[in-house]
Amino acid sequence: MPVHLQGPWNELFGRLGLLLIPHYNNPVIFFAFMLVTVGGTAVLTTLTILGRWGWLWRDWLTTVDHKKIGIMYVLIGLVMLFRGFFDALMIRSQQALAVGPNSPGVLGALHGYLPPFHLDQVWTAHGMIMILLAVTPILIGMMNLIVPLQIGARDMAYPYLNALGLWLTAVSAALVMIALFVGDFSHAGWVGLAPLTELAYSPGVGVDYWIWSIQIGSIGTTLGSINIIATIIKMRAPGMKWFRLPIFTWTSMATSIIGLTSFPVLGVALSLLTFDRYLGTHFFTAGLGGDLMMYTNLFWIWGHPEVYFVVLPAFGFLSEIIPTFSRKPLFGYTTMVLASFSIAGVSWLVWLHHFFTMGASPKVLAFYSITTMLVGIPTGVKVFNWVFTMYRGRIRMEVPMLWAVTSVFLLIIGGMTGMMLSIPAINYIVHNSVFVVAHFHNMFMVITYAAFGAIVFWWPKVFGFKLDERLGRMFFWLFSTGTALVFLPMYTLGLMGMTRRLDYISHPSWWPLLLIELCGIGFYLVSVFVFLGMIYVSYRDRASNAVTADDAWGTSRSLEWLTHTPVPFYNFAVTPIVHALDEVVWRREQGTLDRQPERYTDIHMPNNTGMPIIISGFTLICGFSMVWRIYWLALVSFIAIIALVLIRSFTKNPGYVITAEAIGELERTSRPHRQTEEIENPVSMGTGGGSMPNHGAPAARHPDY
Amino acid sequence: MKWAKRYVLYFRYLAYSPLLLLSGCSDTHFWLFDPKGLIADTELHYMIIDVTLMAIVIVPTTFLLIWVVWRYREKRRSAFAPEWSHSNVIEVVVWGIPLLIVGMLSYYSWRGIQAVNPYNPHALNSHGASTARSHKPLTVDVITTDWQWLFVYPNKHIAVANELVVPTGTKLHLKLTSTSVVNSFYIPQIVGQIYAMPGMRTKQSFEVDHPGSYHGFSAAFSGPGFSWMDFKLKAVPPVKFTAWIKKAGISKNTLNYASFSRFAEPTVNIERKIHYFSDVKTGLFAKVIKAVRSQRLHYVTPMAMTENMHAKIFRTHSN
């Protein structure tokens, strides 16, 4: 071993001997373990009884369809959102219980029920999961679902890479879940506070879980970003000029540029930390030439752009939802594009505001303070533009709009507090306090609200039925009550001087507010059940909630509403020709919205492939064995990954072709309401869809079809 | 019964009633709004400026949003402009106003940093000049360990752990470092934060004008003992301070590098014990930095140390 490890290690089993040290008697972990085991067994049993394994493998696990991949991304995000919420529940209850020197302690804790050993892991997991495994997958999933539809593409530019990105994200989530039961998780914060992450201060496997989970997941995210960029540049339908791109596609573009350029920085920072922990180097140690603030810099050079990586798609959601429900075009489209890219650009120049208090000179602080405030300008412009979009509109407060408008409100509050934090003189007194925690949760709520709005908004497009409105509203109000009750007291506690990451609260005067926060988290808890109820009821009543029109909301604007609801696997029967910024509105006005195309052409589609999930399986083994330092297994699985990538590179996979006749047949059966239009009313090329020669299609038909 | 149903709906707002508990917090607990030192006072001053300037935009925008959402609901059938999506005047205004506010805030941000710059705060300098004080500045070396505070008075050859005693009306010059991980030195009512980082030296300066006891703690998470890493700042009149120095000087515990490295072993300060040290060797601060840089000062944190806080392994690491 190149480094000295506490506890046992051998060549065959690595550090797995650590598991023999009996500290898995905690009922909280046991409960979580039972929950996951029972849930997992229920799912597996159901699949076996129904005999759906083949279906699962063929239709979902090996799919390269961007819509299915998007759905699975969102599903991973929602499951991890629940896990992260569970962590939040524990943090809030521990802090409400462990107040004052006389508060009792159980389960090994002096106060409350979670000693620092557990609680520190809980809030580390909470932060990391919420940002990287809940919000990020939900947003990438929505981009995956919507962007190709909005630009009139059949699929992403690299369908196989898309699936690989999804399954790497799944591996990242799996590693975090494994850490819950096999070993420990990091206790050094989701940011990995240096040098606390070094082997001397974190001798267990927790930090290694954190490193490998993020490292693997971020490869997936980087691949996803490459894919989105390539898709938007190369796969646009004819007539979809740059300034006809729907605004969500623009924000996806900006966000993916951030993702592509910033995630490698994180990869490098984590690799150097890995060298420190595995090879005994001194990149970020305090002594022997290490520079721990270098880690902090590198982390936030990724970390701050990551904030805009997640917020820009949310702004995109708002820019799609608000015009639809205001029955008006988005105010200041060009400005919105400009604002998105300004935010993306400035995001690179602000990272130092995360550690204003490290003692840098006033000139340095002033630079980063001013660049941080500059972000407020395009963000402010966006808020005004949404308001002027609603101005003189016909606003329908349907569920997506409810989420969207509240999101704008939250953005105003978050912007206000963000401007406070950006001034070093103020930052000195609120840095690391729960005021900061309230601020960035506030901003993440902006994203969450926009994302819930987007899920309700695009749900019918994907599944063909609307979500139950009554339960949707109930979910919104419960969730919002939770938000108010948790984060208003949190802001207040910050101004009272409470610092973050406390396991024990020494000031009883903070107790009432902590109790309000506990009430708030109770509302969130109820809202989770209402959310699940909403999904169940909507599915049960899917016949009565069914949407037959292509345009589920009646006032939609962008291209994705042009094709069927639910979207067929080939997206568009013929590649549409785009005439205007709001194509659906344009066609509605021309009266050509419902016209069938004159003729169909062959469609070239990619084949399903099991390779991404197999490669990811080996990645999981590789990551797990690196965490436990089972080097032989890590090496074997790594070689397997490389071999599979090579094999895949030399495999010719021409995809398959759906013939024009087959498409015509499918269209006639799935869209009976559009039958006779074309015969009576022949329209020029492109009005109802038009036809384009498909140069990419292989000459030989695929034998399967 | 329609009206009854309607009023029942209003009961949902009762959900927000726990917020009424907010009124229970008296203002004395709002450390940030109750500054007792010049630096904290200046920081609050800049917070007020910032919030006021932001309110100029935020408040009208919020009302505009509420008004627009209310006024243009579909039911009201107000003026409808289905095509309207551009106005040069509005564009200029919506870019111009944030730009203007950010410009003003940038100016105040710059002024603020100068005023509270930990290495040489303008606020203290101008204050000192105007009152023409006679006291010489006092130097204190702050060393954080896992998880205690050690305050060394290098010129007085004494040190005290987990309590900082200072004379009122005297400028304090602090040098800070850490033996292990990063901590943040923070006394909310007196002075803002500065990191104490291993192998590095940061500075802080402040002055306390009112005698009293103030709460200080580490604001940067530093491991399992972090929640108990508090200290008291006691500000006493200069006469009393001299007496205190004398009293601390008779402590039997002495402090050289060897005894310091015993003190610096991982300890969770659950009982918040205060230790006095006399005969503190000169140059201890520099020696600690040097030792950390060459990794001579190096402790092994036991795995799962706080898993069971009633267990023996934890007891040996707490006091």
Side-chain angles (χ1 to χ4, degrees):
Chain A
M1 288 301 293
V3 289
H4 175 72
L5 291 172
Q6 281 186 48
W9 181 83
N10 65 48
E11 277 94 1
L12 194 57
F13 294 112
R15 301 183 87 185
L16 280 171
L18 283 179
L19 295 174
L20 299 174
I21 301 170
H23 59 211
Y24 295 95
N25 49 3
N26 190 301
V28 180
I29 295 181
F30 183 75
F31 174 70
F33 181 69
M34 287 313 287
L35 201 68
V36 173
T37 316
V38 170
T41 316
V43 171
L44 297 184
T45 317
T46 317
L47 279 171
T48 312
I49 290 171
L50 297 176
R52 301 306 289 270
W53 282 101
W55 162 80
L56 188 68
W57 177 259
R58 275 190 313 275
D59 278 13
W60 290 91
L61 302 184
T62 59
T63 189
V64 291
D65 182 346
H66 75 97
K67 297 175 291 297
K68 285 181 176 169
I69 289 175
I71 291 168
M72 285 188 281
Y73 259 120
V74 176
L75 194 63
I76 291 176
L78 288 175
V79 169
M80 293 313 280
L81 189 70
F82 179 68
R83 158 76 206 275
F85 165 73
F86 220 81
D87 291 333
L89 198 63
M90 286 159 80
I91 302 169
R92 290 274 57 87
S93 50
Q94 165 69 16
Q95 286 202 337
L97 288 172
V99 182
N102 297 325
S103 55
V106 291
L107 304 178
L110 276 184
H111 305 280
Y113 68 105
L114 291 166
F117 176 79
H118 287 305
L119 186 78
D120 298 347
Q121 292 179 38
V122 168
W123 51 251
T124 301
H126 170 76
M128 189 228 150
I129 286 172
M130 284 304 197
I131 294 169
L132 287 163
L133 291 170
V135 168
T136 306
I138 289 176
L139 295 178
I140 293 185
M142 293 308 283
M143 287 196 265
N144 244 305
L145 270 170
I146 303 305
V147 167
L149 292 172
Q150 280 199 331
I151 61 175
R154 293 249 179 269
D155 205 316
M156 300 284 270
Y158 309 114
Y160 159 76
L161 203 63
N162 201 15
L164 188 60
L166 167 75
W167 294 113
L168 288 177
T169 308
V171 168
S172 175
L175 272 178
V176 175
M177 291 312 283
I178 291 172
L180 189 56
F181 313 121
V182 187
D184 319 310
F185 198 63
S186 168
H187 68 140
W190 82 273
V191 300
L193 297 159
L196 202 58
T197 44
E198 293 288 343
L199 209 48
Y201 309 106
S202 301
V205 293
V207 174
D208 302 323
Y209 266 120
W210 172 82
I211 288 177
W212 290 103
S213 174
I214 296 186
Q215 193 70 283
I216 292 168
S218 73
I219 294 171
T221 310
T222 315
L223 296 180
S225 297
I226 293 172
N227 213 344
I228 296 271
I229 295 172
T231 305
I232 296 174
I233 293 178
K234 297 299 287 184
M235 308 283 284
R236 281 168 293 144
M240 181 62 89
K241 298 176 188 166
W242 281 106
F243 277 86
R244 282 181 190 164
L245 284 183
I247 205 79
F248 176 65
T249 301
W250 268 120
T251 55
S252 300
M253 182 76 176
T255 233
S256 300
I257 292 172
I258 298 176
L260 175 60
T261 44
S262 73
F263 272 90
V265 183
L266 176 69
V268 169
L270 288 179
S271 301
L272 298 181
L273 183 62
T274 313
F275 295 156
D276 277 9
R277 285 182 65 87
Y278 285 76
L279 304 173
T281 55
H282 289 276
F283 286 104
F284 306 132
T285 54
L288 302 180
D291 185 349
L292 55 106
M293 289 316 283
M294 181 58 84
Y295 172 82
T296 314
N297 272 284
L298 286 175
F299 183 87
W300 286 114
I301 287 175
W302 161 77
H304 206 85
E306 159 73 13
V307 171
Y308 299 111
F309 176 85
V310 288
V311 90
L312 281 174
F315 288 170
F317 294 152
L318 299 182
S319 305
E320 297 291 337
I321 295 170
I322 291 176
T324 301
F325 291 97
S326 303
R327 211 182 286 178
K328 268 186 66 202
L330 183 70
F331 181 85
Y333 168 81
T334 319
T335 314
M336 284 302 235
V337 176
L338 190 65
S340 300
F341 278 81
S342 318
I343 292 172
V346 182
S347 79
W348 285 96
L349 300 171
V350 301
W351 80 87
L352 199 125
H353 70 216
H354 292 272
F355 41 99
F356 271 151
T357 56
M358 73 161 175
S361 83
K363 281 174 191 154
V364 174
L365 299 191
F367 175 82
Y368 287 96
S369 165
I370 292 165
T371 50
T372 305
M373 287 190 279
L374 286 181
V375 180
I377 301 173
T379 314
V381 169
K382 282 192 174 242
V383 171
F384 283 121
N385 281 3
W386 290 320
V387 172
F388 285 111
T389 303
M390 290 185 276
Y391 177 73
R392 300 208 162 172
R394 284 262 189 273
I395 301 174
R396 279 176 299 144
M397 270 295 164
E398 295 197 40
V399 181
M401 188 64 168
L402 213 51
W403 288 106
V405 171
T406 317
S407 183
V408 178
F409 269 113
L410 288 170
L411 180 59
I412 292 176
I413 303 170
M416 165 87 201
T417 50
M419 284 302 232
M420 289 164 75
L421 289 167
S422 68
I423 293 189
I426 305 171
N427 195 287
Y428 283 153
I429 47 175
V430 282
H431 178 60
N432 270 337
S433 72
V434 293
F435 188 83
V436 176
V437 179
H439 163 72
F440 69 72
H441 277 85
N442 188 159
M443 294 313 282
F444 270 92
M445 279 300 154
V446 172
I447 300 164
T448 312
Y449 273 67
F452 277 131
I455 287 173
V456 183
F457 182 57
W458 277 302
W459 185 279
K461 190 76 231 170
V462 177
F463 294 106
F465 59 90
K466 282 190 185 181
L467 285 172
D468 188 81
E469 182 158 2
R470 198 179 62 87
L471 283 167
R473 279 180 196 279
M474 199 195 271
F475 174 52
F476 168 82
W477 284 109
L478 284 167
F479 194 90
S480 299
T481 310
T483 305
L485 290 184
V486 172
F487 296 109
L488 286 178
M490 201 181 279
Y491 272 127
T492 317
L493 278 170
L495 295 173
M496 291 168 84
M498 180 175 161
T499 200
R500 66 197 283 200
R501 294 166 174 160
L502 286 177
D503 177 61
Y504 162 65
I505 313 292
S506 49
H507 299 280
S509 56
W510 297 341
W511 197 34
L513 290 169
L514 289 167
L515 283 180
I516 302 177
E517 288 184 26
L518 191 64
C519 289
I521 208 92
F523 276 93
Y524 276 134
L525 183 65
V526 178
S527 81
V528 170
F529 290 106
V530 175
F531 177 80
L532 294 175
M534 171 179 80
I535 304 283
Y536 168 73
V537 167
S538 314
Y539 180 73
R540 190 193 61 196
D541 303 342
R542 63 191 178 283
S544 56
N545 290 335
V547 174
T548 45
D550 297 341
D551 173 7
W553 303 101
T555 52
S556 308
R557 313 188 70 84
S558 44
L559 203 58
E560 74 269 26
W561 301 102
L562 195 65
T563 185
H564 315 212
T565 299
V567 185
F569 65 99
Y570 46 81
N571 286 4
F572 295 91
V574 287
T575 302
I577 290 175
V578 180
H579 307 82
L581 172 57
D582 290 327
E583 179 67 14
V584 170
V585 177
W586 188 86
R587 290 191 188 203
R588 198 183 287 131
E589 280 161 7
Q590 304 290 315
T592 60
L593 199 55
D594 275 343
R595 280 189 195 168
Q596 286 285 66
E598 304 149 50
R599 60 185 182 279
Y600 297 102
T601 48
D602 295 355
I603 293 176
H604 175 211
M605 297 293 288
N607 276 330
N608 283 3
T609 163
M611 203 59 110
I613 194 166
I614 296 170
I615 291 178
S616 302
F618 280 105
T619 315
L620 180 62
I621 297 171
C622 187
F624 182 79
S625 43
M626 279 310 281
V627 168
W628 291 92
R629 303 187 193 224
I630 313 167
Y631 293 120
W632 67 269
L633 186 56
L635 189 68
V636 168
S637 44
F638 185 71
I639 291 170
I641 294 166
I642 299 295
L644 286 171
V645 170
L646 287 177
I647 290 169
R648 162 77 200 183
S649 311
F650 287 104
T651 312
K652 288 216 164 33
N653 190 338
Y656 64 93
V657 165
I658 318 166
T659 56
E661 301 84 63
I663 288 289
E665 189 53 40
L666 278 168
E667 287 286 302
R668 267 186 294 280
T669 48
S670 62
R671 292 180 135 183
H673 62 288
R674 286 190 173 185
Q675 280 270 308
T676 49
E677 289 270 359
E678 48 149 343
I679 302 147
E680 292 163 8
N681 251 335
V683 286
S684 63
M685 183 170 107
T687 318
S691 58
M692 293 296 289
N694 194 339
H695 300 296
R701 299 272 154 88
H702 196 269
D704 287 355
Y705 210 87
Chain B
M1 289 309 281
K2 208 174 169 187
W3 62 270
K5 214 172 175 182
R6 193 172 160 181
Y7 283 101
V8 165
L9 277 177
Y10 287 118
F11 279 109
R12 72 171 92 158
Y13 296 109
L14 279 179
Y16 291 90
S17 61
L19 283 178
L20 293 174
L21 283 169
L22 275 174
S23 57
C25 0
S26 87
D27 59 343
T28 52
H29 298 303
F30 282 86
W31 288 337
L32 266 50
F33 297 145
D34 187 22
K36 298 286 186 195
L38 203 52
I39 300 286
D41 202 37
T42 314
E43 281 158 346
L44 177 62
H45 172 70
Y46 281 98
M47 189 189 277
I48 292 165
I49 291 179
D50 175 89
V51 172
T52 314
L53 276 174
M54 284 299 292
I56 295 174
V57 204
I58 293 290
V59 174
T61 312
T62 310
F63 281 112
L64 182 68
L65 178 58
I66 295 170
W67 178 74
V68 164
V69 171
W70 183 256
R71 179 84 166 72
Y72 296 101
R73 283 172 305 148
E74 196 173 35
K75 263 187 265 171
R76 282 184 59 110
R77 313 210 69 81
S78 307
F80 182 39
E83 297 294 327
W84 184 73
S85 68
H86 183 77
S87 151
N88 280 331
V89 178
I90 291 177
E91 295 279 9
V92 170
V93 172
V94 298
W95 281 90
I97 291 178
L99 194 67
L100 202 69
I101 296 287
V102 166
M104 282 153 81
L105 284 175
S106 300
Y107 167 75
Y108 283 110
S109 175
W110 171 248
R111 286 273 305 269
I113 306 163
Q114 301 288 343
V116 300
N117 172 20
Y119 285 65
N120 189 16
H122 273 190
L124 275 193
N125 294 347
S126 51
H127 179 66
S130 61
T131 50
R133 66 209 47 251
S134 52
H135 306 294
K136 274 205 331 221
L138 179 72
T139 311
V140 181
D141 293 342
V142 183
I143 306 172
T144 64
T145 68
D146 276 344
W147 293 270
Q148 297 190 78
W149 296 90
L150 186 71
F151 301 102
V152 181
Y153 298 73
N155 303 326
K156 318 277 185 196
H157 297 286
I158 59 155
V160 55
N162 305 320
E163 187 181 59
L164 174 60
V165 181
V166 299
T168 50
T170 309
K171 213 157 138 184
L172 292 150
H173 287 314
L174 269 61
K175 285 189 290 181
L176 304 98
T177 192
S178 167
T179 53
S180 59
V181 301
V182 179
N183 278 297
S184 192
F185 176 88
Y186 186 28
I187 309 166
Q189 285 180 293
I190 302 294
V191 67
Q193 292 175 42
I194 189 84
Y195 282 169
M197 296 174 282
M200 289 179 250
R201 190 262 299 125
T202 46
K203 290 183 182 177
Q204 181 65 286
S205 6
F206 63 93
E207 187 180 305
V208 192
D209 289 332
H210 313 280
S213 178
Y214 305 100
H215 195 78
F217 54 90
S218 171
F221 180 76
S222 52
F226 166 74
S227 301
W228 291 268
M229 208 175 157
D230 297 355
F231 64 91
K232 278 273 177 296
L233 168 76
K234 287 212 170 112
V236 294
V239 187
K240 277 194 181 166
F241 180 70
T242 321
W244 178 80
I245 293 281
K246 282 214 180 86
K247 214 179 87 190
I250 55 170
S251 164
K252 277 194 251 48
N253 299 328
T254 59
L255 197 65
N256 54 22
Y257 179 70
S259 56
F260 172 78
S261 45
R262 273 196 303 281
F263 169 80
E265 272 168 23
T267 308
V268 181
N269 192 23
I270 289 170
E271 303 285 330
R272 296 201 156 71
K273 282 190 181 147
I274 296 163
H275 307 277
Y276 292 91
F277 299 96
S278 62
D279 193 21
V280 178
K281 291 280 171 292
T282 36
L284 182 68
F285 186 82
K287 208 162 177 183
V288 166
I289 290 187
K290 233 178 192 171
V292 171
R293 289 182 86 96
S294 56
Q295 219 163 61
R296 273 182 286 123
L297 201 65
H298 186 69
Y299 304 96
V300 176
T301 313
M303 263 195 289
M305 166 180 154
T306 51
E307 157 130 62
N308 184 355
M309 298 172 93
H310 305 291
K312 210 175 139 212
I313 181 161
F314 180 73
R315 295 244 179 90
T316 55
H317 285 97
S318 63
N319 66 25

